[in-house]
Amino acid sequence: MIRWVANISMLFTEVPLMARFERAARVGFRYVEYLFPYELDLDEVAGELRRHGLEQVLFNLPAGDWAAGERGIAIDPSRRAAFREGVERAMEAALRLGVRRVNCLVGRRPVDVPEDELRACLVDNLRHAADRLGRHGIVLLVEPVNIHDVPGYYLTTTRQAVALLDEVARDNVQIQYDAYHMQIMEGNLTQTLRTHLSRIGHIQIADVPGRHQPGTGEIRYPFVLRALHEAGYGGWVSLEYVPLGSTEASLREAAAAGLDALGLPHPG
């Protein structure tokens, strides 16, 4: 059965972040994730997780100046030191919160830097992160992102991600497969998931267009996720969408669109 995750950076935004743990548990989630832990009181987060019987399964490595539009720094040779400092911060937070998967957004392609330098920097940084995190049994994820939402992003397709993983050559590096991004960039979701299932460590979903809840767009998520389950995927599927209406109403709508049969938590 699918292990459903609430991404509380995007869901339950009707209340402050620290109140979203309770909201997620109230409707039946047992797993949560959010973008970044670095400005949070980790003791308070750990307390909320314990209080509501939740497990946090994921967060991102530091990704640069998010408000200014940065979406990762692993690709930038001028940011090597900052990237490695970020790995240490992520490792500390993961150990304190019991998180066993950390995602790397590789970033936008810097201008006027030769391709071979970008690639060498990225591979070296990912090997470093994988080795540091792997000492503690933590999996490093790498996420392809669509270039319409994030122009200039370096890693944009599953094929590119698989090639990158082959080059990095570390057993604890897998793909974070965001179906919203990959529907935009390549389509063919079901076959891609089946083909590369052994390389995929985490899945996130939202519908296209608009990045709203499943059932509002063109993706037949009941079909895709049922095929994923039948193929033997035993990992997490995260709801990382922008709700149309309240979060609770969006969960009911997604359930009514066919995800109820796959165990999606939602208000009664």
Side-chain angles (χ1 to χ4, degrees):
M1 184 60 70
I2 289 171
R3 291 186 280 179
W4 292 100
V5 183
N7 186 312
I8 60 173
S9 289
M10 299 181 74
L11 302 185
F12 307 104
T13 57
E14 302 89 349
V15 298
L17 181 65
M18 297 309 298
R20 297 175 199 169
F21 296 93
E22 186 274 335
R23 288 287 185 97
R26 186 195 304 173
V27 300
F29 285 98
R30 291 294 170 261
Y31 306 102
V32 296
E33 66 183 45
Y34 49 79
L35 289 176
F36 305 108
Y38 310 108
E39 304 303 322
L40 302 178
D41 181 329
L42 296 185
D43 290 336
E44 184 179 6
V45 172
E48 287 298 302
L49 292 169
R50 288 193 301 270
R51 186 172 300 113
H52 301 295
L54 295 168
E55 178 182 344
Q56 184 175 338
V57 299
L58 181 73
F59 59 77
N60 294 317
L61 285 172
D65 189 340
W66 192 264
E70 286 191 305
R71 292 297 182 267
I73 58 175
I75 192 65
D76 190 343
S78 72
R79 309 289 290 280
R80 283 178 184 266
F83 178 83
R84 296 186 179 210
E85 289 170 6
V87 170
E88 299 305 307
R89 294 178 68 195
M91 185 166 62
E92 178 184 357
L95 292 175
R96 289 181 65 182
L97 297 174
V99 175
R100 289 293 174 262
R101 279 169 171 73
V102 175
N103 183 49
C104 178
L105 293 163
V106 304
R108 301 176 193 263
R109 183 187 299 268
V111 297
D112 300 326
V113 180
E115 172 66 25
D116 59 341
E117 291 184 26
L118 295 179
R119 189 71 172 195
C121 174
L122 177 58
V123 170
D124 185 52
N125 276 338
L126 293 178
R127 286 174 176 166
H128 172 82
D131 291 344
R132 292 291 294 151
L133 296 170
R135 294 180 184 182
H136 301 282
I138 300 170
V139 172
L140 176 67
L141 301 171
V142 182
E143 181 180 7
V145 171
N146 84 77
I147 57 172
H148 303 284
D149 288 1
V150 187
Y153 196 79
Y154 180 83
L155 189 68
T156 62
T157 68
T158 307
R159 177 182 56 80
Q160 290 172 339
V162 169
L164 179 61
L165 264 59
D166 288 343
E167 192 171 351
V168 171
R170 295 294 188 271
D171 290 340
N172 66 319
V173 184
Q174 294 183 306
I175 297 169
Q176 177 166 295
Y177 185 92
D178 189 314
Y180 164 78
H181 290 301
M182 293 302 94
Q183 173 70 1
I184 293 171
M185 292 303 300
E186 61 191 18
N188 201 26
L189 300 181
T190 302
Q191 185 59 42
T192 301
L193 286 165
R194 286 171 172 161
T195 300
H196 299 294
L197 192 60
S198 66
R199 314 300 292 271
I200 293 170
H202 194 78
I203 293 171
Q204 296 174 328
I205 66 172
D207 221 328
V208 177
R211 202 172 191 173
H212 301 306
Q213 60 262 31
T216 59
E218 66 193 30
I219 302 176
R220 292 179 58 202
Y221 271 118
F223 178 86
V224 173
L225 294 177
R226 192 171 292 110
L228 183 69
H229 174 68
E230 291 170 355
Y233 180 71
W236 290 272
V237 174
S238 172
L239 299 172
E240 191 187 55
Y241 65 76
V242 179
L244 280 177
S246 71
T247 297
E248 286 80 0
S250 75
L251 290 168
R252 284 191 290 267
E253 183 173 349
L259 295 188
D260 201 10
L262 294 168
L264 177 72
H266 62 88

